[in-house]
Amino acid sequence: MPVMERIQAEVESHPIVLFMKGTPEFPMCGFSSRAVQALRDAGAEHLYTINVLEEPEIRANLPRFSNWPTFPQLFIHGELIGGCDITLELHESGELRRIVAEALSQ
């Protein structure tokens, strides 16, 4: 499967997808770590993630797919939410909890 189709399939197959450096248990950058913590605090306990450090094709092509240059990248219901800064802003405003609850209830 071509990498762009695989990325599309991943974001459409899971309500919440975080493309990150490392894993939720062992994040390999501070931005990924903070995004995971914000999502967990918002109620996303079983988070579907893709470690871009182990997926070089995805790491190279995801910025072109999403038109977002950095990692992590959070998708909810197939739509790019943003990176670490946006995830943290949504968490601080309380909006992330609502978005996560809605995504997991469908």
PDB file of all heavy atoms in Angstrom, residues 69-83:
ATOM      1  N   PRO A  69       4.248  20.755   9.454  1.00  0.00           N
ATOM      2  CA  PRO A  69       5.652  20.355   9.326  1.00  0.00           C
ATOM      3  C   PRO A  69       6.263  19.586  10.495  1.00  0.00           C
ATOM      4  O   PRO A  69       7.311  18.963  10.330  1.00  0.00           O
ATOM      5  CB  PRO A  69       6.366  21.701   9.161  1.00  0.00           C
ATOM      6  CG  PRO A  69       5.509  22.665   9.916  1.00  0.00           C
ATOM      7  CD  PRO A  69       4.092  22.186   9.703  1.00  0.00           C
ATOM      8  N   THR A  70       5.653  19.641  11.667  1.00  0.00           N
ATOM      9  CA  THR A  70       6.320  19.104  12.853  1.00  0.00           C
ATOM     10  C   THR A  70       5.573  17.925  13.454  1.00  0.00           C
ATOM     11  O   THR A  70       4.435  17.638  13.101  1.00  0.00           O
ATOM     12  CB  THR A  70       6.465  20.207  13.923  1.00  0.00           C
ATOM     13  OG1 THR A  70       5.158  20.692  14.270  1.00  0.00           O
ATOM     14  CG2 THR A  70       7.322  21.362  13.409  1.00  0.00           C
ATOM     15  N   PHE A  71       6.225  17.270  14.419  1.00  0.00           N
ATOM     16  CA  PHE A  71       5.638  16.166  15.172  1.00  0.00           C
ATOM     17  C   PHE A  71       5.646  16.560  16.641  1.00  0.00           C
ATOM     18  O   PHE A  71       6.531  17.286  17.065  1.00  0.00           O
ATOM     19  CB  PHE A  71       6.456  14.882  14.971  1.00  0.00           C
ATOM     20  CG  PHE A  71       6.468  14.433  13.541  1.00  0.00           C
ATOM     21  CD1 PHE A  71       7.521  14.766  12.712  1.00  0.00           C
ATOM     22  CD2 PHE A  71       5.414  13.705  13.026  1.00  0.00           C
ATOM     23  CE1 PHE A  71       7.524  14.364  11.389  1.00  0.00           C
ATOM     24  CE2 PHE A  71       5.409  13.302  11.702  1.00  0.00           C
ATOM     25  CZ  PHE A  71       6.470  13.640  10.883  1.00  0.00           C
ATOM     26  N   PRO A  72       4.662  16.101  17.401  1.00  0.00           N
ATOM     27  CA  PRO A  72       3.592  15.166  17.043  1.00  0.00           C
ATOM     28  C   PRO A  72       2.495  15.838  16.222  1.00  0.00           C
ATOM     29  O   PRO A  72       2.428  17.059  16.134  1.00  0.00           O
ATOM     30  CB  PRO A  72       3.040  14.736  18.410  1.00  0.00           C
ATOM     31  CG  PRO A  72       3.288  15.932  19.290  1.00  0.00           C
ATOM     32  CD  PRO A  72       4.581  16.533  18.801  1.00  0.00           C
ATOM     33  N   GLN A  73       1.651  14.966  15.645  1.00  0.00           N
ATOM     34  CA  GLN A  73       0.462  15.430  14.922  1.00  0.00           C
ATOM     35  C   GLN A  73      -0.733  14.634  15.436  1.00  0.00           C
ATOM     36  O   GLN A  73      -0.712  13.403  15.427  1.00  0.00           O
ATOM     37  CB  GLN A  73       0.609  15.223  13.417  1.00  0.00           C
ATOM     38  CG  GLN A  73       1.653  16.118  12.792  1.00  0.00           C
ATOM     39  CD  GLN A  73       1.675  16.039  11.284  1.00  0.00           C
ATOM     40  OE1 GLN A  73       0.688  15.675  10.651  1.00  0.00           O
ATOM     41  NE2 GLN A  73       2.804  16.401  10.695  1.00  0.00           N
ATOM     42  N   LEU A  74      -1.745  15.343  15.859  1.00  0.00           N
ATOM     43  CA  LEU A  74      -2.956  14.731  16.401  1.00  0.00           C
ATOM     44  C   LEU A  74      -4.082  14.809  15.379  1.00  0.00           C
ATOM     45  O   LEU A  74      -4.383  15.887  14.871  1.00  0.00           O
ATOM     46  CB  LEU A  74      -3.384  15.458  17.685  1.00  0.00           C
ATOM     47  CG  LEU A  74      -4.706  15.018  18.316  1.00  0.00           C
ATOM     48  CD1 LEU A  74      -4.639  13.556  18.767  1.00  0.00           C
ATOM     49  CD2 LEU A  74      -5.058  15.930  19.487  1.00  0.00           C
ATOM     50  N   PHE A  75      -4.679  13.641  15.090  1.00  0.00           N
ATOM     51  CA  PHE A  75      -5.847  13.561  14.218  1.00  0.00           C
ATOM     52  C   PHE A  75      -7.006  13.020  15.031  1.00  0.00           C
ATOM     53  O   PHE A  75      -6.852  12.047  15.777  1.00  0.00           O
ATOM     54  CB  PHE A  75      -5.591  12.603  13.046  1.00  0.00           C
ATOM     55  CG  PHE A  75      -4.666  13.153  11.996  1.00  0.00           C
ATOM     56  CD1 PHE A  75      -3.297  13.157  12.197  1.00  0.00           C
ATOM     57  CD2 PHE A  75      -5.166  13.662  10.811  1.00  0.00           C
ATOM     58  CE1 PHE A  75      -2.434  13.655  11.232  1.00  0.00           C
ATOM     59  CE2 PHE A  75      -4.317  14.163   9.835  1.00  0.00           C
ATOM     60  CZ  PHE A  75      -2.948  14.156  10.048  1.00  0.00           C
ATOM     61  N   ILE A  76      -8.170  13.630  14.891  1.00  0.00           N
ATOM     62  CA  ILE A  76      -9.386  13.120  15.520  1.00  0.00           C
ATOM     63  C   ILE A  76     -10.434  13.012  14.426  1.00  0.00           C
ATOM     64  O   ILE A  76     -10.701  13.979  13.710  1.00  0.00           O
ATOM     65  CB  ILE A  76      -9.850  14.015  16.683  1.00  0.00           C
ATOM     66  CG1 ILE A  76      -8.768  13.999  17.775  1.00  0.00           C
ATOM     67  CG2 ILE A  76     -11.202  13.539  17.222  1.00  0.00           C
ATOM     68  CD1 ILE A  76      -9.089  14.774  19.020  1.00  0.00           C
ATOM     69  N   HIS A  77     -10.983  11.818  14.282  1.00  0.00           N
ATOM     70  CA  HIS A  77     -11.944  11.504  13.213  1.00  0.00           C
ATOM     71  C   HIS A  77     -11.420  11.917  11.846  1.00  0.00           C
ATOM     72  O   HIS A  77     -12.126  12.530  11.051  1.00  0.00           O
ATOM     73  CB  HIS A  77     -13.315  12.119  13.482  1.00  0.00           C
ATOM     74  CG  HIS A  77     -14.056  11.431  14.577  1.00  0.00           C
ATOM     75  ND1 HIS A  77     -14.364  10.095  14.547  1.00  0.00           N
ATOM     76  CD2 HIS A  77     -14.551  11.902  15.735  1.00  0.00           C
ATOM     77  CE1 HIS A  77     -14.994   9.771  15.638  1.00  0.00           C
ATOM     78  NE2 HIS A  77     -15.120  10.843  16.380  1.00  0.00           N
ATOM     79  N   GLY A  78     -10.155  11.592  11.590  1.00  0.00           N
ATOM     80  CA  GLY A  78      -9.569  11.819  10.286  1.00  0.00           C
ATOM     81  C   GLY A  78      -9.160  13.246   9.999  1.00  0.00           C
ATOM     82  O   GLY A  78      -8.639  13.551   8.939  1.00  0.00           O
ATOM     83  N   GLU A  79      -9.365  14.148  10.949  1.00  0.00           N
ATOM     84  CA  GLU A  79      -9.073  15.557  10.740  1.00  0.00           C
ATOM     85  C   GLU A  79      -7.883  15.978  11.598  1.00  0.00           C
ATOM     86  O   GLU A  79      -7.816  15.667  12.791  1.00  0.00           O
ATOM     87  CB  GLU A  79     -10.292  16.391  11.129  1.00  0.00           C
ATOM     88  CG  GLU A  79     -10.118  17.864  10.898  1.00  0.00           C
ATOM     89  CD  GLU A  79     -11.368  18.644  11.280  1.00  0.00           C
ATOM     90  OE1 GLU A  79     -12.483  18.109  11.139  1.00  0.00           O
ATOM     91  OE2 GLU A  79     -11.216  19.796  11.714  1.00  0.00           O
ATOM     92  N   LEU A  80      -6.943  16.689  10.985  1.00  0.00           N
ATOM     93  CA  LEU A  80      -5.794  17.183  11.734  1.00  0.00           C
ATOM     94  C   LEU A  80      -6.253  18.222  12.755  1.00  0.00           C
ATOM     95  O   LEU A  80      -6.907  19.201  12.402  1.00  0.00           O
ATOM     96  CB  LEU A  80      -4.767  17.808  10.784  1.00  0.00           C
ATOM     97  CG  LEU A  80      -3.566  18.467  11.474  1.00  0.00           C
ATOM     98  CD1 LEU A  80      -2.680  17.419  12.135  1.00  0.00           C
ATOM     99  CD2 LEU A  80      -2.773  19.299  10.482  1.00  0.00           C
ATOM    100  N   ILE A  81      -5.906  17.988  14.004  1.00  0.00           N
ATOM    101  CA  ILE A  81      -6.167  18.962  15.063  1.00  0.00           C
ATOM    102  C   ILE A  81      -4.969  19.903  15.179  1.00  0.00           C
ATOM    103  O   ILE A  81      -5.123  21.100  15.282  1.00  0.00           O
ATOM    104  CB  ILE A  81      -6.434  18.251  16.410  1.00  0.00           C
ATOM    105  CG1 ILE A  81      -7.631  17.319  16.300  1.00  0.00           C
ATOM    106  CG2 ILE A  81      -6.602  19.266  17.535  1.00  0.00           C
ATOM    107  CD1 ILE A  81      -8.927  17.977  15.872  1.00  0.00           C
ATOM    108  N   GLY A  82      -3.769  19.326  15.149  1.00  0.00           N
ATOM    109  CA  GLY A  82      -2.554  20.136  15.210  1.00  0.00           C
ATOM    110  C   GLY A  82      -1.450  19.410  15.935  1.00  0.00           C
ATOM    111  O   GLY A  82      -1.486  18.195  16.112  1.00  0.00           O
ATOM    112  N   GLY A  83      -0.473  20.186  16.362  1.00  0.00           N
ATOM    113  CA  GLY A  83       0.682  19.649  17.055  1.00  0.00           C
ATOM    114  C   GLY A  83       0.565  19.818  18.556  1.00  0.00           C
ATOM    115  O   GLY A  83      -0.525  20.001  19.110  1.00  0.00           O
TER     116      GLY A  83
END
